[in-house]
Amino acid sequence: MGLRENAAKAAGREVAAEEPRETAVDVASNLTEPDLGDLTKDAESASAVIAWSRVMGEVRAIAKNEKFEGGRAGRFNFRGIETALNSFGPACRKHGVLVIQHRVETEYRDISTSSGGKMRECTALVTFRIYGPDGSFFESQAAGEASDSGGRSTPKAQSIALRTLLINNGLVPTEDRDADAVHFERAENPVRPAVSYVDEVCDPRTSAGRLRQIHHELKSMRQLGALVTNEVGDEEAIGDLVVRLGKERAAGGAE
C-alpha cells in the first residue's frame, strides 16, 4: 500500500483505482532527416541567412554519379555543375534566394600537354553574393581552376567555383559511406630482443656513437637489464655491456 492509500485510509475514505500509466520507452533515432515543416513560411521577410538555411533543408544529398574517364589522368566519380544547379536551382527559386557572381579575380598561364599541344589555364577566385527575399545578402568566395585549348578556360573555372560554392556552403553530403564507419586498431610493432644486439655491440667496428644509440633503444624498450652472453662468454646485463664497451671505445678515440 502506497502513501496515497495510507493517507486515504487514515481519513476514512476509499481511494479510486488509478488507470495504469503507460511506460515511457526510448526509441533509438533512425538517422533519417528530420521533418522541417513548411520551409516557405514568412518567405518574403526572410533574411539571406535564414533563406539559405531553408535551401539547405531542401538539398539533402548529391551523389557522385558523374564519371570522369581521363585515360592516364585516371578515372573517378564526381558531382558536376549541372547536378549542383539541378539540385540548388529549384530550391533557391522556391525560397527567393539569388546567388549572384559579384567579383572575379583571374590568373592565366600557358601550359604544354604531354603530346606537345598548348593550353590556357585559368585560376578564378570568385566572390558571390547570396541575397535573401528581404534584400539582405552575405558574401562568400570560391576558387576554380580549368584549362582549355579553345578559349573556354575562364567560364570553366567560374563554373567550378560556382559548384564548389553551392556544395560547400550547402554542406551537401555525398551519400557515400562514412569513412569512420569502419574502425581498426593499429598493431603494435614487435619488440626487438636484446640478444639480437649482442653481435653489433661486441663488434670492434661499432662506434661509440652507435653504442649510445643502442643504449637509448634498449632503454625505450625497457631491456637494459636483459641478461646476454658477452664477448668473453660471461653472462652480463646488456645495458652494462653497452656502457662498458662504449667507454672503452671512447677512451680509444672511437667516435
Side-chain angles (χ1 to χ4, degrees), residues 72-254:
R72 287 182 295 178
R75 297 184 299 173
F76 55 87
N77 293 351
F78 68 101
R79 300 181 289 186
I81 180 61
E82 292 82 5
T83 302
L85 290 177
N86 289 341
S87 300
F88 277 91
C92 286
R93 286 188 286 274
K94 176 179 177 180
H95 298 287
V97 173
L98 299 178
V99 180
I100 305 298
Q101 185 172 286
H102 176 63
R103 184 172 60 254
V104 181
E105 302 170 48
T106 56
E107 293 183 1
Y108 298 93
R109 68 169 182 162
D110 293 322
I111 60 176
S112 299
T113 65
S114 58
S115 60
K118 298 292 184 181
M119 300 188 76
R120 184 77 159 168
E121 183 183 78
C122 173
T123 300
L125 177 63
V126 184
T127 302
F128 295 91
R129 284 186 174 180
I130 300 178
Y131 287 86
D134 68 344
S136 64
F137 68 87
F138 63 90
E139 292 187 350
S140 184
Q141 288 185 326
E145 183 177 295
S147 57
D148 192 82
S149 59
R152 295 183 296 272
S153 61
T154 301
K156 282 184 178 180
Q158 293 179 29
S159 295
I160 293 172
L162 176 57
R163 181 196 64 190
T164 301
L165 173 96
L166 294 174
I167 292 176
N168 287 358
N169 281 18
L171 298 179
V172 182
T174 63
E175 293 184 338
D176 290 342
R177 181 173 58 85
D178 184 0
D180 293 326
V182 177
H183 301 276
F184 67 93
E185 294 184 1
R186 188 182 301 275
E188 294 184 2
N189 293 327
V191 176
R192 181 178 176 181
V195 68
S196 67
Y197 285 95
V198 173
D199 289 342
E200 185 179 4
V201 171
C202 295
D203 189 337
R205 295 170 296 182
T206 302
S207 67
R210 172 56 183 157
L211 289 176
R212 287 192 293 270
Q213 183 181 8
I214 290 175
H215 190 276
H216 176 74
E217 293 174 9
L218 290 166
K219 182 179 180 180
S220 66
M221 295 184 292
R222 300 180 181 180
Q223 294 198 76
L224 289 175
L227 296 178
V228 296
T229 302
N230 62 22
E231 77 278 16
V232 296
D234 294 334
E235 194 174 68
E236 184 178 8
I238 191 167
D240 296 339
L241 174 63
V242 172
V243 171
R244 177 171 59 81
L245 293 180
K247 289 180 179 179
E248 292 177 4
R249 289 173 195 170

